Amino acid sequence: MSMNPHQQAIKQLEKVAGLLRSEYHDEDTARFDAAIERLKEPDRVIEGQLEVEMDDGRSETFQAYRAQHNNARGPYKGGIRFHPDVSKEEVKALSTWMTWKCAVTGIPYGGGKGGVVVDPKKLSQNELQRLSRAYARLITPYIGPQVDIPAPDVNTTPQTMAWMVEEYQQEVGRQAKVVDSSHSAAENPLATFTGKPVTLGGSEGREEATGLGGVVVMEKLVEQLFPTKEKKQITVAIQGFGNVGYWFAYLAHQKGYSVVAISDSRGGIYAPQGLDPEYVLNYKKEHGSLPSDGVQEISNAELLELAVDLLVPSALEGVIDKENAHRIQAKAVIEMANGPTTSEADEVLAARNVFVVPDVLANAGGVSTSYFEWVQNLQGYSWPLQEVTTRLKKIMETAFTEMWQMHQKTGQTGRVSAYMTAVQRVVDAMIMRGQV
Ligand code: NAD
């Protein structure tokens, strides 16, 4: 039987712990072991049944979770997803990966994740609002700007966060028995959620942040792998043309790289001479599909196996698996989607010297900009786009350089190197606090 996501997260942690253990001596070895044991399970999982009134007057219940994995480096941080496949084990795993993602980028957060088992496509806007508010009530006692800071994830949006901010603020007031709960006792409710609309304390630059962070990482990788190649000669294939895929494609093209393949859920297009992502987006908006003139139509499976320099999966998880890993011709993979490479495929790619920039690093531009949003909310200030962009570039460049140095020092893959940096930071914080 295959491992569930949380079992996979534990297996990864054990592997990395085995590589790091020799760095700890004397009493710290026992502390290291104790920290690793503790990191195998989240600090806390909040669960509950949300009772939501449907538009027709019936009431329905939805299973909900919030996992708080570790907060040694700062408040728990992570998104909330609405999806039928949400499970406790998945939420636990995702909260663990958030701990590593925040640690690898050096932002002062721990890891958390939330989820509701629901198919949001079957709910009206009013039902979604009531569901979001019910979720906010469930987690209110466990969140706050210095405690746990949720954000959007799969099928949740800035609008979802706006509803949750409002309900959280009212609920804190109700619980504190403040006479008018709209003027509640909640300390800085805006800093308790990120990914909010810009008019409600959201940050400039959040929309393009993940794609931009990925392109910054790509440029650093190119310096290492193709130091003498001109940008125009470097070919990039991108799977997925949503928020992440589009911005990655647009910014890579703008910088002069050759984006030769793009796809969405219906399939892909390939043009060896290069594509203009902005034209492709406008065409798709107008016609509902990718353009077919002057390009070769390809399947999503074919896109993954193109002879390009860089492959950028930006859609689904598990698309590079043990079936196709040995046919991947790209020299490097930049994981913009979460979990696009299975663990078996990872081993095949490593054996074939295909360098993989792991998701915890490549797509961390989003959470980094969430961090900036929180900082701005705490200060009651809003930064111009330029400031967000400059700071984001610095975080991503530093995180890449640290991962690369670890890779050079240990000879481990990009993924293991990033995990080694992250786990070491979290364990050290636990030891320094005297938690273990
Ligand atoms: P999105 O919903 O905006 O876009 C998803 C894209 O994937 C769409 O273009 C869709 O057509 C395409 N797609 C769907 N099914 C497909 C299939 N079978 N084959 C190929 N393409 C398919 O989502 P997004 O926000 O761009 O997120 C994409 C990935 O990036 C996800 O794994 C997400 O978890 C990850 N991610 C996103 C962010 C962010 O800030 N948005 C941050 C970190 C990680």
Side-chain angles (χ1 to χ4, degrees):
M1 216 172 86
S2 65
M3 281 189 287
N4 73 43
H6 186 232
Q7 288 164 333
Q8 280 178 35
I10 292 175
K11 192 176 157 209
Q12 286 169 336
L13 175 61
E14 283 172 342
K15 176 175 178 181
V16 171
L19 296 166
L20 278 176
R21 195 166 187 269
S22 60
E23 309 248 331
Y24 292 79
H25 304 286
D26 308 323
E27 284 169 23
D28 279 351
T29 312
R31 293 201 177 100
F32 174 81
D33 291 342
I36 296 297
E37 271 318 298
R38 206 168 136 178
L39 287 163
K40 289 181 183 174
E41 287 294 324
D43 289 345
R44 175 189 288 125
V45 183
I46 299 132
E47 38 185 314
Q49 300 268 322
L50 308 179
E51 199 169 322
V52 178
E53 192 191 332
M54 298 288 110
D55 291 345
D56 62 8
R58 279 178 310 118
S59 101
E60 266 194 46
T61 49
F62 299 92
Q63 180 66 38
Y65 305 99
R66 177 81 185 163
Q68 297 178 327
H69 177 253
N70 183 275
N71 65 352
R73 298 185 58 265
Y76 305 106
K77 178 88 190 101
I80 299 164
R81 62 173 58 175
F82 288 175
H83 198 279
D85 295 341
V86 163
S87 68
K88 187 171 173 177
E89 297 310 305
E90 183 191 63
V91 170
K92 281 163 69 170
L94 292 166
S95 72
T96 311
W97 289 320
M98 281 306 294
T99 301
W100 312 142
K101 190 180 289 196
C102 294
V104 86
T105 41
I107 58 181
Y109 285 143
K113 200 70 160 200
V116 180
V117 185
V118 58
D119 183 353
K121 292 189 194 84
K122 294 190 176 146
L123 266 54
S124 71
Q125 280 298 299
N126 285 332
E127 289 165 344
L128 275 175
Q129 178 171 172
R130 290 194 287 269
L131 177 73
S132 305
R133 285 173 173 267
Y135 185 82
R137 286 195 296 279
L138 172 74
I139 62 170
T140 287
Y142 306 96
I143 62 173
Q146 303 301 341
V147 185
D148 182 357
I149 306 139
D153 192 73
V154 176
N155 292 330
T156 51
T157 61
Q159 170 64 78
T160 320
M161 296 302 110
W163 290 327
M164 289 193 184
V165 165
E166 171 65 10
E167 189 65 27
Y168 166 72
Q169 188 164 359
Q170 290 193 9
E171 183 66 7
V172 173
R174 283 192 288 268
Q175 290 181 6
K177 299 199 171 38
V178 174
V179 179
D180 177 355
S181 62
S182 66
H183 298 103
S184 83
E187 180 209 342
N188 208 337
L190 290 182
T192 305
F193 294 85
T194 62
K196 302 179 297 293
V198 173
T199 42
L200 198 67
S203 181
E204 295 290 346
R206 176 62 188 87
E207 194 196 327
E208 62 269 40
T210 306
L212 172 59
V215 169
V216 172
V217 159
M218 175 183 77
E219 295 229 271
K220 297 293 288 178
L221 180 71
V222 162
E223 278 175 26
Q224 298 298 338
L225 297 187
F226 316 112
T228 56
K229 258 192 176 179
E230 275 181 41
K231 289 183 181 181
K232 191 86 199 113
Q233 295 173 294
I234 295 174
T235 52
V236 188
I238 302 170
Q239 182 184 56
F241 202 55
N243 171 281
V244 175
Y246 169 70
W247 281 104
F248 191 103
Y250 172 79
L251 293 166
H253 172 76
Q254 232 191 9
K255 289 201 173 287
Y257 295 90
S258 288
V259 175
V260 294
I262 284 175
S263 71
D264 64 13
S265 56
R266 297 187 197 178
I269 52 175
Y270 174 53
Q273 74 282 7
L275 294 156
D276 175 355
E278 200 176 1
Y279 167 77
V280 175
L281 182 71
N282 288 334
Y283 186 96
K284 187 175 166 166
K285 275 185 187 158
E286 203 177 315
H287 299 90
S289 64
L290 302 176
S292 52
D293 271 6
V295 300
Q296 190 183 328
E297 293 188 34
I298 54 172
S299 67
N300 264 297
E302 286 166 340
L303 180 141
L304 295 171
E305 296 171 21
L306 286 172
V308 288
D309 293 309
L310 301 172
L311 174 63
V312 188
S314 312
L316 306 177
E317 53 189 49
V319 291
I320 305 176
D321 57 19
K322 64 175 192 289
E323 303 301 322
N324 64 4
H326 62 277
R327 292 195 301 269
I328 302 289
Q329 298 186 67
K331 300 189 183 64
V333 176
I334 301 176
E335 292 187 335
M336 295 305 293
N338 279 316
T341 312
T342 66
S343 49
E344 294 106 332
D346 217 22
E347 285 170 20
V348 176
L349 295 180
R352 296 183 51 228
N353 275 328
V354 179
F355 192 87
V356 179
V357 183
D359 49 5
V360 287
L361 170 56
N363 69 29
V367 73
S368 302
T369 307
S370 275
Y371 162 58
F372 299 149
E373 179 176 338
W374 175 76
V375 170
Q376 292 169 70
N377 295 152
L378 289 177
Q379 296 176 335
Y381 200 72
S382 81
W383 299 345
L385 178 60
Q386 183 60 41
E387 182 158 1
V388 174
T389 307
T390 308
R391 287 178 186 269
L392 176 61
K393 283 185 181 159
K394 189 145 186 284
I395 285 196
M396 298 304 295
E397 283 176 0
T398 305
F400 179 88
T401 303
E402 287 167 347
M403 183 266 303
W404 191 261
Q405 284 167 348
M406 185 65 96
H407 163 66
Q408 299 284 82
K409 184 175 130 188
T410 62
Q412 296 293 335
T413 62
R415 189 182 318 278
V416 172
S417 303
Y419 270 68
M420 286 176 78
T421 306
V423 173
Q424 192 164 27
R425 284 180 179 162
V426 176
V427 168
D428 288 350
M430 293 169 79
I431 292 176
M432 280 185 268
R433 280 173 178 267
Q435 291 179 340
V436 283

